């Protein structure tokens, strides 16, 4: 059975995913599925009746008035740009080393891009803090909206922190992965923590395989990061985490991530175990230690929620200073 049949990627399923993931009206969602590449207004029918008015109902001017960019319609150009981002991001993993800072809102994404980083990741913690919540409190729809915002904010590829895929069952996870791909991200990570416990290894592997199949059915260039939440289980040995990483790689993960394996010897062992697939290491201290990871074969270092945490700490300190000058309330 192919992936589409196994995980329910029927025409109706694609429509429902489109409707749920974009917030489009019924006619907009159907037309996006039926005709994903909008034609010029005069090609839709006779006169202005069927084409231009439909384009206006979709909240955009007719394709004829939008014009062409390098021979493409605006929507075709957006699709090409997404493909280019995904290709560029995959290429970054072929050799060398790069930093992958985690943005938490549009402003941080824009600033990090201006500083010259090659790609960005999202952070579930940073996104939650920006919304006045705690890590894990944002639901699927909020995260999908957040990812769309980040992708739209920057020309850089975005790696999504997609937590546990917001589902336990592999088939439900696969459907949510389709929605994540639709946001335009270049990669997404799937972790093996349910929110209350770590999935058994066999189930965790099934989930990675389901995510891989979902990706391959839509766009195989999207990268899948297999993530072991070893820090959630205090007594979990490094060897068990490495064994899971190997299993996730064999199930289809393109990149492996075990957040708190940071001992240099353990990192080198992880890199060797999953080679030639790349390894991500998260760093919270921004110092020469980052270069040491690169020297041990780590392909990329992300920062998780640490950059957002440092930024909010600075905000709190300055706001507390300001608060001292409040007048009339005994402050």
């Amino acid at each position: 059975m192919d992936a589409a049949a196994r995980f329910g990627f029927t025409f109706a399923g694609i429509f429902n995913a489109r409707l749920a993931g974009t917030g489009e009206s019924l006619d907009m969602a159907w037309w996006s599925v039926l005709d994903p590449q909008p034609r010029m207004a005069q090609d839709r029918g006779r006169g202005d009746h069927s084409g231009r008015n439909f384009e206006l109902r979709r909240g955009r001017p007719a394709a004829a008035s939008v014009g062409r960019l390098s021979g493409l319609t605006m929507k075709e150009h957006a699709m090409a740009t997404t493909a280019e981002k995904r290709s560029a991001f995959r290429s970054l993993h072929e050799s060398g080393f790069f930093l992958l800072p985690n943005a938490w809102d549009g402003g941080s994404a824009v600033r990090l891009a201006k500083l010259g980083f090659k790609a960005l990741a999202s952070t579930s913690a940073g996104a939650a803090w920006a919304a006045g919540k705690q890590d894990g409190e944002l639901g699927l729809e909020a995260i999908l909206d957040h990812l769309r915002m980040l992708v739209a904010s920057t020309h850089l590829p975005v790696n999504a922190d997609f937590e546990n895929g917001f589902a336990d069952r592999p088939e439900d996870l696969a459907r949510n992965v389709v929605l994540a791909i639709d946001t335009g991200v270049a990669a997404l990570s799937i972790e093996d923590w349910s929110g209350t416990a770590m999935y058994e290894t066999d189930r965790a592997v099934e989930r990675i395989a389901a995510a891989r199949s979902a990706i391959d059915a839509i766009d195989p260039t999207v990268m899948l990061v297999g993530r072991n939440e070893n820090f959630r289980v205090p007594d979990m040995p490094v060897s068990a985490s490495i064994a899971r990483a190997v299993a996730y790689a064999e199930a289809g993960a393109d990149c492996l991530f075990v957040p708190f394996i940071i001992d240099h010897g353990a990192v080198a062992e992880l890199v060797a175990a999953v080679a030639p697939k790349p390894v991500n290491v998260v760093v919270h201290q921004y110092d020469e230690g980052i270069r040491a990871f690169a020297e041990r074969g780590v392909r990329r270092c992300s920062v998780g929620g640490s950059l957002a945490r440092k930024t909010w700490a600075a905000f709190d300190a300055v706001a507390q200073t300001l608060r001292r000058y409040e007048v009339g309330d005994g402050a």
Side-chain angles (χ1 to χ4, degrees):
M1 182 181 296
D2 63 22
R6 182 179 178 188
F7 295 110
F9 299 133
T10 60
F11 185 85
I14 295 172
F15 163 70
N16 288 330
R18 180 86 193 180
L19 188 63
T22 65
E24 291 179 336
S25 63
L26 288 172
D27 64 341
M28 289 166 63
W30 274 119
W31 195 263
S32 295
V33 174
L34 291 168
D35 183 15
Q37 298 186 20
R39 296 184 295 272
M40 293 180 68
Q42 58 266 36
D43 292 336
R44 293 207 186 276
R46 295 181 180 179
D48 191 58
H49 175 71
S50 77
R52 182 176 177 82
N53 287 344
F54 190 86
E55 287 291 323
L56 292 175
R57 287 202 306 273
R58 299 185 71 184
R60 61 169 68 104
S65 63
V66 170
R68 293 256 166 176
L69 184 59
S70 301
L72 302 176
T73 65
M74 295 299 287
K75 186 167 184 177
E76 289 167 342
H77 176 72
M79 292 169 65
T81 299
T82 297
E84 290 165 1
K85 288 181 181 181
R86 290 171 175 170
S87 176
F89 192 63
R90 186 169 282 273
S91 295
L92 287 173
H93 293 77
E94 293 176 357
S95 62
F97 171 84
F98 68 99
L99 287 169
L100 185 67
N102 301 69
W104 60 93
D105 62 12
S108 60
V110 169
R111 286 174 176 270
L112 289 168
K114 286 183 177 179
L115 287 172
F117 291 102
K118 299 174 182 178
L120 303 178
S122 67
T123 158
S124 63
W129 297 335
K133 298 180 180 296
Q134 295 302 311
D135 191 11
E137 291 185 353
L138 294 181
L140 174 61
E141 292 304 322
I143 289 297
L144 292 173
D145 286 342
H146 178 73
L147 294 175
R148 292 186 195 98
M149 177 274 299
L150 286 182
V151 169
S153 297
T154 178
H155 65 282
L156 297 178
V158 174
N159 187 137
D161 176 354
F162 205 50
E163 304 181 51
N164 76 331
F166 302 90
D168 293 321
R169 299 192 308 167
E171 56 269 33
D172 296 332
L173 167 65
R175 293 189 181 95
N176 292 343
V177 165
V178 172
L179 298 177
I181 294 171
D182 192 55
T183 67
V185 297
L188 57 93
S189 63
I190 296 294
E191 60 192 45
D192 52 13
W193 180 256
S194 71
T196 58
M198 187 168 289
Y199 297 108
E200 294 296 328
T201 301
D202 288 347
R203 173 47 66 96
V205 169
E206 289 176 2
R207 287 163 43 80
I208 292 294
R212 177 79 267 161
S213 294
I215 290 171
D216 288 346
I218 304 297
D219 184 353
T221 66
V222 175
M223 292 190 68
L224 174 62
V225 181
R227 174 169 166 162
N228 168 232
E229 297 288 278
N230 64 323
F231 65 95
R232 308 275 191 185
V233 183
D235 297 328
M236 187 172 189
V238 169
S239 59
S241 289
I242 292 177
R244 280 187 175 244
V246 170
Y248 299 165
E250 292 173 348
D254 297 296
C255 179
L256 291 309
F257 180 20
V258 185
F260 281 86
I261 287 187
I262 54 177
D263 173 80
H264 289 172
V267 167
E269 186 178 349
L270 173 61
V271 169
V274 302
K277 293 193 173 181
V279 167
N280 182 97
V281 170
V282 66
V283 295
H284 299 284
Q285 300 298 320
Y286 310 158
D287 55 25
E288 292 297 321
I290 294 174
R291 290 197 174 96
F293 288 128
E295 291 168 357
R296 283 159 177 79
V298 171
R299 184 72 70 233
R300 63 187 221 187
C301 279
S302 58
V303 302
S306 65
L307 185 57
R309 184 180 296 108
K310 293 173 189 291
T311 301
W312 285 112
F315 175 91
D316 287 345
V318 174
Q320 288 167 5
T321 299
L322 174 63
R323 181 73 175 87
R324 296 189 197 126
Y325 298 96
E326 184 69 73
V327 176
D329 66 352

